[in-house]
């Protein structure tokens, strides 16, 4: 079976789960999304693209943006990045506050909210036009300038982002935020509101599947070692308190978002993005998780 037949098989198999789970509702703008949409796109290193379903419908990538922000900050700061954020799985929810207090303001990893707020703060300190430069970075990663922030999503999230504000305040108390808290939150929420379709997301994730891909924006690429480390963090932390389950069932580095997207890579083979807004209790797409499990089971391709 080729990838197109496999995607079609996965799509048909997973459709029976289409009534399970609930879309995220804590951000009013996310409630407006039709929960019955479902798309998949897989891109290979050889340059082939395979799509099924609503793969061209754009959605808010939410926490998947944390991987792009991490890549940008890691590229700029190198190993000094790890002075302000750890690389251990949290085993907690993405927006947990308790661990941050226990560990005195050093977030467990860059893919939980606390870590992403620190990364946002670093980018604010390093970049002249953070929002514009971040957007350009992602546009160039996927070779598509037709990617935008969803401003009303970002505003809607800020108006309800009390827990993220609490996390940012605690980080500031422990001296791990340099910039104004409100500024950090605004930048973080804009990253979360970034709107992409499965095909664009799979293209952008090729940077983590292909260790040699150049980042046009910097006229350079991440080093092989940096790509390895970002993938390792995705593998161990990309699904919060469900990272073990994703590793166990899928066996690929990946990242989820509460918009219902999941992006994953098979090193040196392909990048894939799946989107279905209905989430399980841990905030990860029900059909997205199952689709990727079926993919690695059917292809017998995973990192293990
Ligand atoms: O910080 C938040 O609450 C969201 N904007 C992003 C959360 C998210 O996508 C978590 N991932 N599953």
């Amino acid at each position: 079976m080729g990838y197109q037949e496999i995607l079609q098989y996965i799509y048909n198999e997973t459709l029976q789960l289409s009534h399970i789970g609930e879309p995220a509702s804590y951000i009013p703008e996310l409630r407006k999304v039709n929960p019955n949409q479902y798309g998949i796109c897989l891109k290979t290193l050889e340059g082939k693209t395979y799509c099924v379903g609503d793969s061209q419908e754009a959605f808010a990538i939410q926490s998947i943006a944390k991987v792009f922000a991490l890549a940008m900050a890691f590229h700029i700061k190198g190993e000094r990045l790890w002075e302000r954020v750890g690389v251990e799985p949290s085993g907690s929810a993405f927006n947990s506050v308790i661990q941050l207090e226990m560990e005195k303001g050093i977030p467990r990893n860059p893919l939980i909210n606390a870590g992403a707020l620190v990364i946002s703060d670093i980018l604010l300190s390093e970049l002249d036009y953070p929002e514009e430069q971040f957007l350009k970075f992602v546009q160039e990663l996927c070779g598509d300038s037709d990617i935008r922030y969803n401003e009303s999503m970002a505003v809607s999230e800020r108006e309800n982002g009390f827990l993220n504000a609490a996390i940012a305040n605690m980080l500031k108390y422990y001296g791990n935020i340099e910039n104004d808290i409100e500024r950090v939150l605004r930048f973080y929420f804009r990253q979360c509101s970034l709107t992409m379709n499965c095909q664009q997301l799979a293209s952008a994730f090729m940077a983590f599947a292909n260790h040699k891909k150049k980042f046009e924006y910097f006229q350079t690429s991440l080093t092989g070692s940096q790509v390895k480390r970002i993938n390792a963090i995705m593998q161990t932390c990309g699904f919060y308190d469900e990272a073990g389950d994703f590793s166990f069932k899928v066996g690929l580095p990946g990242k989820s978002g509460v918009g219902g997207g999941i992006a994953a890579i098979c090193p040196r083979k392909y990048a894939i993005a799946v989107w279905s807004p209905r989430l399980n209790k841990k905030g990860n797409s029900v059909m997205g998780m199952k689709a990727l499990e079926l993919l690695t089971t059917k292809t017998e391709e995973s990192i293990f």
Side-chain angles (χ1 to χ4, degrees):
M1 256 191 193
Y3 283 126
Q4 189 64 46
E5 289 76 32
I6 292 175
L7 290 194
Q8 196 59 56
Y9 158 81
I10 291 168
Y11 185 84
N12 297 341
E13 283 292 304
T14 44
L15 271 183
Q16 55 189 297
L17 305 176
S18 61
H19 59 288
I20 300 176
E22 292 297 327
S25 61
Y26 73 98
I27 306 170
E29 281 294 307
L30 270 182
R31 274 187 228 140
K32 298 181 182 165
V33 178
N34 169 3
N36 300 320
Q37 298 174 94
Y38 180 31
I40 310 177
C41 178
L42 183 150
K43 287 180 87 84
T44 67
L45 252 63
E46 291 139 23
K48 299 246 169 58
T49 301
Y50 306 93
C51 295
V52 285
D54 299 313
S55 61
Q56 308 300 313
E57 284 298 317
F59 57 92
I61 67 167
Q62 292 290 338
S63 281
I64 301 171
K66 292 176 167 98
V67 181
F68 301 136
L70 167 63
M72 204 175 187
F74 195 16
H75 191 270
I76 294 169
K77 296 291 274 189
E79 295 300 313
R80 284 176 303 148
L81 192 65
W82 314 119
E83 291 164 14
R84 291 183 56 188
V85 60
V87 295
E88 292 295 338
S90 68
S92 305
F94 62 89
N95 50 9
S96 169
V97 191
I98 300 170
Q99 205 166 46
L100 189 62
E101 185 180 17
M102 306 282 280
E103 297 178 2
K104 308 241 176 302
I106 302 292
R108 273 282 171 108
N109 67 66
L111 301 184
I112 53 173
N113 287 13
L117 288 164
V118 168
I119 297 287
S120 298
D121 183 58
I122 289 169
L123 292 177
L124 282 170
S125 297
E126 295 287 332
L127 303 172
D128 294 331
Y129 305 101
E131 275 87 353
E132 291 78 0
Q133 287 170 274
F134 179 75
L135 181 61
K136 190 132 183 49
F137 176 67
V138 180
Q139 288 174 339
E140 293 193 352
L141 262 189
C142 66
D144 191 336
S145 55
D146 195 26
I147 292 172
R148 299 277 176 276
Y149 295 117
N150 179 336
E151 301 298 347
S152 40
M153 178 85 64
V155 169
S156 160
E157 183 157 14
R158 176 61 198 106
E159 284 169 355
N160 296 277
F162 307 111
L163 206 45
N164 280 314
I167 294 170
N169 274 279
M170 192 176 293
L171 287 165
K172 187 83 175 173
Y173 171 81
Y174 282 110
N176 204 4
I177 290 275
E178 290 173 356
N179 296 279
D180 173 57
I181 290 172
E182 190 54 41
R183 181 74 187 93
V184 175
L185 286 167
R186 256 192 297 129
F187 182 35
Y188 168 72
F189 290 132
R190 280 185 100 188
Q191 292 165 39
C192 294
S193 80
L194 204 63
T195 298
M196 297 169 77
N197 63 37
C198 287
Q199 187 163 345
Q200 291 165 330
L201 203 47
S203 299
F205 263 66
M206 288 300 278
F208 310 110
N210 174 2
H211 293 55
K212 304 246 161 42
K213 187 175 159 85
K214 285 242 179 301
F215 287 23
E216 300 294 330
Y217 181 73
F218 295 111
Q219 304 298 318
T220 176
S221 50
L222 286 170
T223 65
S225 155
Q226 287 174 325
V227 171
K228 175 190 77 181
R229 289 178 173 199
I230 292 171
N231 285 338
I233 294 171
M234 279 200 267
Q235 186 74 43
T236 51
C237 313
F239 295 79
Y240 316 109
D241 41 349
E242 208 172 21
D245 205 45
F246 188 79
S247 232
F248 183 72
K249 290 180 176 154
V250 179
L252 298 177
K255 182 74 200 81
S256 62
V258 291
I262 299 179
I265 63 108
C266 190
R268 299 177 186 84
K269 287 208 169 84
Y270 63 75
I272 181 163
V274 188
W275 172 55
S276 160
R278 291 185 197 274
L279 311 179
N280 64 20
K281 295 260 173 340
K282 309 258 165 120
N284 298 316
S285 169
V286 173
M287 283 160 82
M289 299 281 280
K290 192 67 191 174
L292 291 169
E293 180 185 347
L294 290 176
L295 174 69
T296 53
T297 305
K298 201 81 188 154
T299 58
E300 297 188 352
E301 290 172 343
S302 93
I303 66 160
F304 299 111

